[in-house]
Amino acid sequence: MARMATFAQWVEGARPRTLPNAVAPVLAGTGAAAALGGAVWWKALLALLVSLALIVGVNYANDYSDGIRGTDDVRSGPLRLVGSRVASPRAVLTAALVSLSIGAAAGLALAIVSEPWLIAVGAACIAGAWLYTGGSTPYGYRGLGEVAVFVFFGLVAVLGTQYTQALRVDWVGLAAAVAVGSLSSAVLVANNLRDIPTDSETGKITLAVRLGDARTRLLYQVLVGVAFAMTFVLMAATPWCAAGLVAAPLAVRATGPVRRGLGGRELIPVLRDTGLTMLVWSVAVAAALTFG
């Protein structure tokens, strides 16, 4: 019988290392809105609440769905609440639904004060969060997780943040969205690279399982490279966007274990360092677009 998880275990189950995936797109999108002269800070805060609630919700939903399937019974990564038997599936499902509901409520408010048609976009985001590992045919088990992360936490999150504030998008927002989406996808690629052995055994066919170890490592490095290529593209908007290169040392540190062929728990720091790279890049570029 599952015992009651501690507060610290619930926090770990929410996967704090993934929170930069929620914060970075809002920063980048707000910077892109500021470049159009349309930044609205209270809308940025509302967008941040939406993004944080959705990512915590998808993390708990993933924990629940993988846990009841037995995918997490053997892991080399951080704690999973259901798989580790420290919380009941029902409790984790409830946490997921509460988090997604908070995101839905905040998103509804943001859509109403911006453009009502954005409600449909929000509904798609929530469906994407649940169907990642939930439902009878989860797309995360068919190698589409990285694509979804690029779309939802890159294109939709950055351009959506820009649009709700400036009421339009432009090439600057798109370039920032590609950069953030690439780094956000790289976080998942690193996670799935670490889990190739256990995912293969349990039938979870991620993109990493499909590509194999060597090509997954190459994909990770390409995604990080794309983000920094977008830095040079954004310098056409303002040379101050070169500030994004301040994140390069973090990126080098993040890619090190991947390039050296490390595996298992030795890849866990890659998730942290990739997230930090994305966060520092977004802060620097957002500041450049706002004040440059």
PDB file of all heavy atoms in Angstrom, residues 58-84:
ATOM      1  N   VAL A  58       1.580  18.543 -16.325  1.00  0.00           N
ATOM      2  CA  VAL A  58       2.011  17.490 -17.250  1.00  0.00           C
ATOM      3  C   VAL A  58       3.014  16.563 -16.569  1.00  0.00           C
ATOM      4  O   VAL A  58       3.029  15.347 -16.831  1.00  0.00           O
ATOM      5  CB  VAL A  58       2.591  18.082 -18.549  1.00  0.00           C
ATOM      6  CG1 VAL A  58       3.970  18.665 -18.358  1.00  0.00           C
ATOM      7  CG2 VAL A  58       2.645  17.022 -19.653  1.00  0.00           C
ATOM      8  N   ASN A  59       3.828  17.102 -15.652  1.00  0.00           N
ATOM      9  CA  ASN A  59       4.780  16.246 -14.936  1.00  0.00           C
ATOM     10  C   ASN A  59       4.063  15.260 -14.018  1.00  0.00           C
ATOM     11  O   ASN A  59       4.414  14.076 -13.959  1.00  0.00           O
ATOM     12  CB  ASN A  59       5.755  17.106 -14.129  1.00  0.00           C
ATOM     13  CG  ASN A  59       6.782  17.791 -15.014  1.00  0.00           C
ATOM     14  OD1 ASN A  59       7.021  17.374 -16.146  1.00  0.00           O
ATOM     15  ND2 ASN A  59       7.393  18.841 -14.498  1.00  0.00           N
ATOM     16  N   TYR A  60       3.053  15.731 -13.293  1.00  0.00           N
ATOM     17  CA  TYR A  60       2.288  14.822 -12.443  1.00  0.00           C
ATOM     18  C   TYR A  60       1.475  13.830 -13.285  1.00  0.00           C
ATOM     19  O   TYR A  60       1.346  12.653 -12.934  1.00  0.00           O
ATOM     20  CB  TYR A  60       1.357  15.599 -11.515  1.00  0.00           C
ATOM     21  CG  TYR A  60       2.044  16.217 -10.317  1.00  0.00           C
ATOM     22  CD1 TYR A  60       1.727  17.510  -9.901  1.00  0.00           C
ATOM     23  CD2 TYR A  60       2.986  15.505  -9.584  1.00  0.00           C
ATOM     24  CE1 TYR A  60       2.342  18.085  -8.790  1.00  0.00           C
ATOM     25  CE2 TYR A  60       3.614  16.071  -8.474  1.00  0.00           C
ATOM     26  CZ  TYR A  60       3.284  17.353  -8.083  1.00  0.00           C
ATOM     27  OH  TYR A  60       3.889  17.919  -6.983  1.00  0.00           O
ATOM     28  N   ALA A  61       0.911  14.315 -14.394  1.00  0.00           N
ATOM     29  CA  ALA A  61       0.148  13.421 -15.272  1.00  0.00           C
ATOM     30  C   ALA A  61       1.047  12.341 -15.852  1.00  0.00           C
ATOM     31  O   ALA A  61       0.647  11.166 -15.968  1.00  0.00           O
ATOM     32  CB  ALA A  61      -0.515  14.231 -16.387  1.00  0.00           C
ATOM     33  N   ASN A  62       2.263  12.721 -16.218  1.00  0.00           N
ATOM     34  CA  ASN A  62       3.236  11.767 -16.735  1.00  0.00           C
ATOM     35  C   ASN A  62       3.602  10.741 -15.653  1.00  0.00           C
ATOM     36  O   ASN A  62       3.704   9.532 -15.923  1.00  0.00           O
ATOM     37  CB  ASN A  62       4.474  12.527 -17.200  1.00  0.00           C
ATOM     38  CG  ASN A  62       5.555  11.631 -17.781  1.00  0.00           C
ATOM     39  OD1 ASN A  62       6.730  11.831 -17.511  1.00  0.00           O
ATOM     40  ND2 ASN A  62       5.173  10.651 -18.577  1.00  0.00           N
ATOM     41  N   ASP A  63       3.796  11.230 -14.434  1.00  0.00           N
ATOM     42  CA  ASP A  63       4.102  10.354 -13.303  1.00  0.00           C
ATOM     43  C   ASP A  63       2.972   9.342 -13.104  1.00  0.00           C
ATOM     44  O   ASP A  63       3.209   8.138 -12.938  1.00  0.00           O
ATOM     45  CB  ASP A  63       4.277  11.213 -12.043  1.00  0.00           C
ATOM     46  CG  ASP A  63       4.838  10.435 -10.854  1.00  0.00           C
ATOM     47  OD1 ASP A  63       4.286   9.371 -10.522  1.00  0.00           O
ATOM     48  OD2 ASP A  63       5.819  10.917 -10.258  1.00  0.00           O
ATOM     49  N   TYR A  64       1.730   9.826 -13.139  1.00  0.00           N
ATOM     50  CA  TYR A  64       0.563   8.951 -12.959  1.00  0.00           C
ATOM     51  C   TYR A  64       0.462   7.915 -14.082  1.00  0.00           C
ATOM     52  O   TYR A  64       0.348   6.703 -13.820  1.00  0.00           O
ATOM     53  CB  TYR A  64      -0.700   9.796 -12.910  1.00  0.00           C
ATOM     54  CG  TYR A  64      -1.974   9.000 -13.078  1.00  0.00           C
ATOM     55  CD1 TYR A  64      -2.495   8.252 -12.023  1.00  0.00           C
ATOM     56  CD2 TYR A  64      -2.658   8.984 -14.297  1.00  0.00           C
ATOM     57  CE1 TYR A  64      -3.650   7.504 -12.183  1.00  0.00           C
ATOM     58  CE2 TYR A  64      -3.808   8.247 -14.459  1.00  0.00           C
ATOM     59  CZ  TYR A  64      -4.310   7.503 -13.405  1.00  0.00           C
ATOM     60  OH  TYR A  64      -5.445   6.761 -13.569  1.00  0.00           O
ATOM     61  N   SER A  65       0.498   8.388 -15.327  1.00  0.00           N
ATOM     62  CA  SER A  65       0.282   7.480 -16.459  1.00  0.00           C
ATOM     63  C   SER A  65       1.392   6.451 -16.587  1.00  0.00           C
ATOM     64  O   SER A  65       1.136   5.256 -16.793  1.00  0.00           O
ATOM     65  CB  SER A  65       0.162   8.289 -17.759  1.00  0.00           C
ATOM     66  OG  SER A  65      -0.960   9.138 -17.715  1.00  0.00           O
ATOM     67  N   ASP A  66       2.653   6.895 -16.461  1.00  0.00           N
ATOM     68  CA  ASP A  66       3.767   5.948 -16.535  1.00  0.00           C
ATOM     69  C   ASP A  66       3.742   4.990 -15.346  1.00  0.00           C
ATOM     70  O   ASP A  66       4.069   3.811 -15.475  1.00  0.00           O
ATOM     71  CB  ASP A  66       5.106   6.693 -16.553  1.00  0.00           C
ATOM     72  CG  ASP A  66       5.442   7.226 -17.939  1.00  0.00           C
ATOM     73  OD1 ASP A  66       4.757   6.846 -18.907  1.00  0.00           O
ATOM     74  OD2 ASP A  66       6.401   8.018 -18.043  1.00  0.00           O
ATOM     75  N   GLY A  67       3.330   5.520 -14.185  1.00  0.00           N
ATOM     76  CA  GLY A  67       3.311   4.690 -12.982  1.00  0.00           C
ATOM     77  C   GLY A  67       2.324   3.548 -13.067  1.00  0.00           C
ATOM     78  O   GLY A  67       2.646   2.414 -12.701  1.00  0.00           O
ATOM     79  N   ILE A  68       1.118   3.822 -13.547  1.00  0.00           N
ATOM     80  CA  ILE A  68       0.112   2.755 -13.600  1.00  0.00           C
ATOM     81  C   ILE A  68       0.412   1.765 -14.723  1.00  0.00           C
ATOM     82  O   ILE A  68      -0.085   0.636 -14.704  1.00  0.00           O
ATOM     83  CB  ILE A  68      -1.316   3.327 -13.767  1.00  0.00           C
ATOM     84  CG1 ILE A  68      -1.459   4.104 -15.082  1.00  0.00           C
ATOM     85  CG2 ILE A  68      -1.672   4.196 -12.574  1.00  0.00           C
ATOM     86  CD1 ILE A  68      -2.884   4.565 -15.374  1.00  0.00           C
ATOM     87  N   ARG A  69       1.242   2.180 -15.697  1.00  0.00           N
ATOM     88  CA  ARG A  69       1.644   1.251 -16.763  1.00  0.00           C
ATOM     89  C   ARG A  69       2.844   0.410 -16.357  1.00  0.00           C
ATOM     90  O   ARG A  69       3.199  -0.534 -17.057  1.00  0.00           O
ATOM     91  CB  ARG A  69       1.987   2.036 -18.039  1.00  0.00           C
ATOM     92  CG  ARG A  69       0.785   2.573 -18.791  1.00  0.00           C
ATOM     93  CD  ARG A  69       1.224   3.143 -20.145  1.00  0.00           C
ATOM     94  NE  ARG A  69       0.078   3.466 -20.965  1.00  0.00           N
ATOM     95  CZ  ARG A  69      -0.522   4.638 -20.998  1.00  0.00           C
ATOM     96  NH1 ARG A  69      -0.069   5.621 -20.250  1.00  0.00           N
ATOM     97  NH2 ARG A  69      -1.568   4.852 -21.778  1.00  0.00           N
ATOM     98  N   GLY A  70       3.506   0.800 -15.272  1.00  0.00           N
ATOM     99  CA  GLY A  70       4.690   0.067 -14.842  1.00  0.00           C
ATOM    100  C   GLY A  70       5.962   0.529 -15.509  1.00  0.00           C
ATOM    101  O   GLY A  70       7.030  -0.064 -15.302  1.00  0.00           O
ATOM    102  N   THR A  71       5.882   1.614 -16.295  1.00  0.00           N
ATOM    103  CA  THR A  71       7.064   2.109 -17.003  1.00  0.00           C
ATOM    104  C   THR A  71       8.136   2.592 -16.040  1.00  0.00           C
ATOM    105  O   THR A  71       9.329   2.528 -16.349  1.00  0.00           O
ATOM    106  CB  THR A  71       6.661   3.256 -17.948  1.00  0.00           C
ATOM    107  OG1 THR A  71       5.581   2.823 -18.772  1.00  0.00           O
ATOM    108  CG2 THR A  71       7.823   3.664 -18.833  1.00  0.00           C
ATOM    109  N   ASP A  72       7.729   3.099 -14.868  1.00  0.00           N
ATOM    110  CA  ASP A  72       8.669   3.683 -13.916  1.00  0.00           C
ATOM    111  C   ASP A  72       9.103   2.722 -12.821  1.00  0.00           C
ATOM    112  O   ASP A  72       9.720   3.138 -11.838  1.00  0.00           O
ATOM    113  CB  ASP A  72       8.040   4.923 -13.256  1.00  0.00           C
ATOM    114  CG  ASP A  72       7.924   6.091 -14.216  1.00  0.00           C
ATOM    115  OD1 ASP A  72       8.663   6.106 -15.213  1.00  0.00           O
ATOM    116  OD2 ASP A  72       7.089   6.984 -13.956  1.00  0.00           O
ATOM    117  N   ASP A  73       8.800   1.432 -12.963  1.00  0.00           N
ATOM    118  CA  ASP A  73       9.159   0.488 -11.900  1.00  0.00           C
ATOM    119  C   ASP A  73      10.679   0.394 -11.725  1.00  0.00           C
ATOM    120  O   ASP A  73      11.182   0.181 -10.623  1.00  0.00           O
ATOM    121  CB  ASP A  73       8.589  -0.905 -12.207  1.00  0.00           C
ATOM    122  CG  ASP A  73       7.076  -0.939 -12.005  1.00  0.00           C
ATOM    123  OD1 ASP A  73       6.519   0.047 -11.472  1.00  0.00           O
ATOM    124  OD2 ASP A  73       6.445  -1.941 -12.391  1.00  0.00           O
ATOM    125  N   VAL A  74      11.410   0.547 -12.831  1.00  0.00           N
ATOM    126  CA  VAL A  74      12.878   0.548 -12.777  1.00  0.00           C
ATOM    127  C   VAL A  74      13.361   1.818 -13.464  1.00  0.00           C
ATOM    128  O   VAL A  74      13.110   2.017 -14.652  1.00  0.00           O
ATOM    129  CB  VAL A  74      13.473  -0.698 -13.490  1.00  0.00           C
ATOM    130  CG1 VAL A  74      14.993  -0.652 -13.434  1.00  0.00           C
ATOM    131  CG2 VAL A  74      12.950  -1.969 -12.854  1.00  0.00           C
ATOM    132  N   ARG A  75      14.043   2.685 -12.697  1.00  0.00           N
ATOM    133  CA  ARG A  75      14.471   3.976 -13.236  1.00  0.00           C
ATOM    134  C   ARG A  75      15.876   4.309 -12.768  1.00  0.00           C
ATOM    135  O   ARG A  75      16.315   3.914 -11.698  1.00  0.00           O
ATOM    136  CB  ARG A  75      13.533   5.101 -12.751  1.00  0.00           C
ATOM    137  CG  ARG A  75      12.271   5.238 -13.548  1.00  0.00           C
ATOM    138  CD  ARG A  75      11.434   6.369 -13.015  1.00  0.00           C
ATOM    139  NE  ARG A  75      12.122   7.651 -13.015  1.00  0.00           N
ATOM    140  CZ  ARG A  75      12.295   8.398 -14.092  1.00  0.00           C
ATOM    141  NH1 ARG A  75      11.855   7.986 -15.254  1.00  0.00           N
ATOM    142  NH2 ARG A  75      12.916   9.557 -14.015  1.00  0.00           N
ATOM    143  N   SER A  76      16.564   5.113 -13.599  1.00  0.00           N
ATOM    144  CA  SER A  76      17.862   5.657 -13.195  1.00  0.00           C
ATOM    145  C   SER A  76      17.758   7.147 -12.926  1.00  0.00           C
ATOM    146  O   SER A  76      18.733   7.775 -12.556  1.00  0.00           O
ATOM    147  CB  SER A  76      18.903   5.413 -14.299  1.00  0.00           C
ATOM    148  OG  SER A  76      18.491   6.010 -15.527  1.00  0.00           O
ATOM    149  N   GLY A  77      16.563   7.709 -13.123  1.00  0.00           N
ATOM    150  CA  GLY A  77      16.367   9.141 -12.963  1.00  0.00           C
ATOM    151  C   GLY A  77      15.790   9.508 -11.609  1.00  0.00           C
ATOM    152  O   GLY A  77      15.740   8.692 -10.687  1.00  0.00           O
ATOM    153  N   PRO A  78      15.340  10.768 -11.483  1.00  0.00           N
ATOM    154  CA  PRO A  78      14.787  11.256 -10.215  1.00  0.00           C
ATOM    155  C   PRO A  78      13.525  10.507  -9.803  1.00  0.00           C
ATOM    156  O   PRO A  78      12.950   9.733 -10.566  1.00  0.00           O
ATOM    157  CB  PRO A  78      14.473  12.731 -10.533  1.00  0.00           C
ATOM    158  CG  PRO A  78      15.308  13.068 -11.714  1.00  0.00           C
ATOM    159  CD  PRO A  78      15.407  11.803 -12.509  1.00  0.00           C
ATOM    160  N   LEU A  79      13.089  10.789  -8.579  1.00  0.00           N
ATOM    161  CA  LEU A  79      11.936  10.113  -7.987  1.00  0.00           C
ATOM    162  C   LEU A  79      10.681  10.250  -8.826  1.00  0.00           C
ATOM    163  O   LEU A  79      10.371  11.325  -9.330  1.00  0.00           O
ATOM    164  CB  LEU A  79      11.677  10.709  -6.595  1.00  0.00           C
ATOM    165  CG  LEU A  79      10.400  10.248  -5.886  1.00  0.00           C
ATOM    166  CD1 LEU A  79      10.599   8.843  -5.323  1.00  0.00           C
ATOM    167  CD2 LEU A  79      10.035  11.228  -4.769  1.00  0.00           C
ATOM    168  N   ARG A  80       9.969   9.145  -8.980  1.00  0.00           N
ATOM    169  CA  ARG A  80       8.608   9.163  -9.504  1.00  0.00           C
ATOM    170  C   ARG A  80       7.689   8.702  -8.379  1.00  0.00           C
ATOM    171  O   ARG A  80       7.940   7.674  -7.749  1.00  0.00           O
ATOM    172  CB  ARG A  80       8.472   8.237 -10.710  1.00  0.00           C
ATOM    173  CG  ARG A  80       9.209   8.722 -11.957  1.00  0.00           C
ATOM    174  CD  ARG A  80       8.595   9.993 -12.516  1.00  0.00           C
ATOM    175  NE  ARG A  80       9.235  10.400 -13.768  1.00  0.00           N
ATOM    176  CZ  ARG A  80       8.831  10.020 -14.973  1.00  0.00           C
ATOM    177  NH1 ARG A  80       7.807   9.198 -15.073  1.00  0.00           N
ATOM    178  NH2 ARG A  80       9.456  10.442 -16.041  1.00  0.00           N
ATOM    179  N   LEU A  81       6.639   9.441  -8.135  1.00  0.00           N
ATOM    180  CA  LEU A  81       5.779   9.205  -6.974  1.00  0.00           C
ATOM    181  C   LEU A  81       5.047   7.876  -7.044  1.00  0.00           C
ATOM    182  O   LEU A  81       5.046   7.096  -6.087  1.00  0.00           O
ATOM    183  CB  LEU A  81       4.787  10.360  -6.838  1.00  0.00           C
ATOM    184  CG  LEU A  81       5.414  11.733  -6.557  1.00  0.00           C
ATOM    185  CD1 LEU A  81       4.397  12.843  -6.791  1.00  0.00           C
ATOM    186  CD2 LEU A  81       5.950  11.784  -5.138  1.00  0.00           C
ATOM    187  N   VAL A  82       4.410   7.603  -8.179  1.00  0.00           N
ATOM    188  CA  VAL A  82       3.647   6.353  -8.309  1.00  0.00           C
ATOM    189  C   VAL A  82       4.581   5.170  -8.469  1.00  0.00           C
ATOM    190  O   VAL A  82       4.421   4.139  -7.796  1.00  0.00           O
ATOM    191  CB  VAL A  82       2.668   6.441  -9.503  1.00  0.00           C
ATOM    192  CG1 VAL A  82       1.943   5.111  -9.688  1.00  0.00           C
ATOM    193  CG2 VAL A  82       1.661   7.565  -9.284  1.00  0.00           C
ATOM    194  N   GLY A  83       5.574   5.295  -9.337  1.00  0.00           N
ATOM    195  CA  GLY A  83       6.503   4.196  -9.575  1.00  0.00           C
ATOM    196  C   GLY A  83       7.270   3.795  -8.332  1.00  0.00           C
ATOM    197  O   GLY A  83       7.594   2.617  -8.144  1.00  0.00           O
ATOM    198  N   SER A  84       7.570   4.777  -7.449  1.00  0.00           N
ATOM    199  CA  SER A  84       8.314   4.489  -6.222  1.00  0.00           C
ATOM    200  C   SER A  84       7.403   4.080  -5.072  1.00  0.00           C
ATOM    201  O   SER A  84       7.884   3.845  -3.958  1.00  0.00           O
ATOM    202  CB  SER A  84       9.137   5.716  -5.814  1.00  0.00           C
ATOM    203  OG  SER A  84      10.066   6.051  -6.818  1.00  0.00           O
TER     204      SER A  84
END
